[in-house]
């Protein structure tokens, strides 16, 4: 019920372990798959909650699929921006506040979705420069933290297969969202194709 990056832990083998089950529900309960209203009211982190959970207090496994899509964005941009900063900026503002987070939540519930090419516009480069300056002024002298480099990395991290997965997860209608089985299968195919491409490249280098 509260799937987000801060509740995903990594063990020594870089395997993900889910934590914080205070809001979890058993798969055998009607609230999980039948879509019945939860008796305890909407629970979770508001920026990660599916529209039907926020608006109708209805929880299904598809709510977790939606949260997973938001989690993917948070992990991709985490070295550079927080999820709240990304969402508020994508909605057209420059400062994060409780009121603006509420605006983001209302927009998401209404069907708005942020542009995943966030890092490519000049306005966003200026925003990132200001953010880096507030967080770590000395970093601006480092090429690694130049707004241009950061924007390129954010755009790259949010592109390709990840963008497809995110878009399949955050569809407003629950029944049209991806399934975790489908997401896993897609990632395995992508990983296999990537590994095959690496093998071909390595073979070319050897010759």
């Amino acid at each position: 019920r509260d799937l987000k990056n801060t509740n995903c832990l990594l063990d020594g083998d870089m395997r993900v372990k889910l934590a914080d089950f205070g809001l979890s529900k058993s798969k055998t309960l009607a609230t999980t798959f039948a879509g019945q209203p939860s008796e305890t009211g909407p629970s979770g982190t508001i920026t990660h909650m599916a529209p039907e959970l926020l608006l109708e207090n209805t929880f299904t496994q598809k709510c977790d699929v939606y949260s997973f899509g938001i989690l993917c964005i948070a992990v991709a941009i985490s070295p550079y921006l927080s999820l709240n900063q990304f969402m508020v900026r994508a909605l057209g503002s420059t400062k994060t506040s409780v009121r603006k987070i509420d605006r983001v939540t209302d927009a998401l519930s209404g069907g708005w979705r942020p542009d995943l090419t966030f890092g490519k516009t000049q306005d966003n480069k200026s925003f990132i420069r200001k953010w880096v300056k507030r967080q770590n002024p000395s970093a601006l002298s480092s090429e690694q933290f130049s707004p241009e480099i950061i924007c390129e990395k954010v755009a790259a991290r949010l592109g390709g297969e990840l963008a497809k997965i995110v878009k399949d997860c955050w569809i407003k209608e629950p029944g049209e969202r991806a399934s975790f089985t489908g997401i896993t299968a897609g990632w395995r195919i992508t990983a296999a194709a990537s590994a095959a491409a690496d093998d071909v490249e390595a073979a070319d280098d050897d010759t």
Side-chain angles (χ1 to χ4, degrees), residues 26-36 59:
S26 167
K27 288 177 64 175
T28 59
L29 294 180
T31 52
T32 303
F33 290 104
Q36 300 297 321
F59 179 78

Side-chain angles (χ1 to χ4, degrees), residues 3-6 8 47-48 64-90 104 108 112-119 153-171 187:
L3 186 58
K4 58 182 178 179
N5 51 321
T6 52
C8 296
T47 51
H48 293 64
D64 281 340
V65 171
Y66 179 93
S67 298
F68 180 75
I70 303 299
L71 181 155
C72 286
I73 296 176
V75 171
I77 66 175
S78 60
Y80 310 107
L81 296 169
S82 72
L83 180 65
N84 287 350
Q85 287 171 324
F86 172 81
M87 289 293 192
V88 167
R89 178 58 195 155
V104 168
L108 287 169
W112 170 84
R113 298 293 182 265
D115 182 1
L116 295 182
T117 61
F118 171 89
K153 289 186 175 181
V154 169
R157 283 168 171 263
L158 292 176
E161 184 64 21
L162 181 67
K164 182 180 182 304
I165 289 171
V166 169
K167 290 174 181 178
D168 286 345
C169 288
W170 69 15
I171 296 172
W187 252 333

Side-chain angles (χ1 to χ4, degrees), residues 25-141:
K25 291 287 185 181
S26 167
K27 288 177 64 175
T28 59
L29 294 180
T31 52
T32 303
F33 290 104
Q36 300 297 321
S38 168
E39 295 179 359
T40 58
S43 304
T45 301
I46 194 167
T47 51
H48 293 64
M49 291 168 69
E52 67 272 19
L53 184 56
L54 277 170
L55 299 176
E56 303 167 12
N57 188 23
T58 299
F59 179 78
T60 69
Q61 192 178 58
K62 294 293 186 176
C63 292
D64 281 340
V65 171
Y66 179 93
S67 298
F68 180 75
I70 303 299
L71 181 155
C72 286
I73 296 176
V75 171
I77 66 175
S78 60
Y80 310 107
L81 296 169
S82 72
L83 180 65
N84 287 350
Q85 287 171 324
F86 172 81
M87 289 293 192
V88 167
R89 178 58 195 155
L91 197 57
S93 194
T94 57
K95 294 183 180 179
T96 304
S97 67
V98 172
R99 182 176 295 178
K100 288 177 180 175
I101 296 303
D102 287 343
R103 282 183 55 205
V104 168
T105 304
D106 290 343
L108 287 169
S109 297
W112 170 84
R113 298 293 182 265
D115 182 1
L116 295 182
T117 61
F118 171 89
K120 294 183 178 180
T121 70
Q122 187 58 47
D123 285 348
N124 289 335
K125 290 179 182 179
S126 299
F127 168 73
I128 289 177
R129 178 182 291 277
K130 292 177 182 177
W131 177 77
V132 172
K133 186 175 182 179
R134 286 200 305 270
Q135 299 296 316
N136 185 4
S138 62
L140 283 176
S141 61

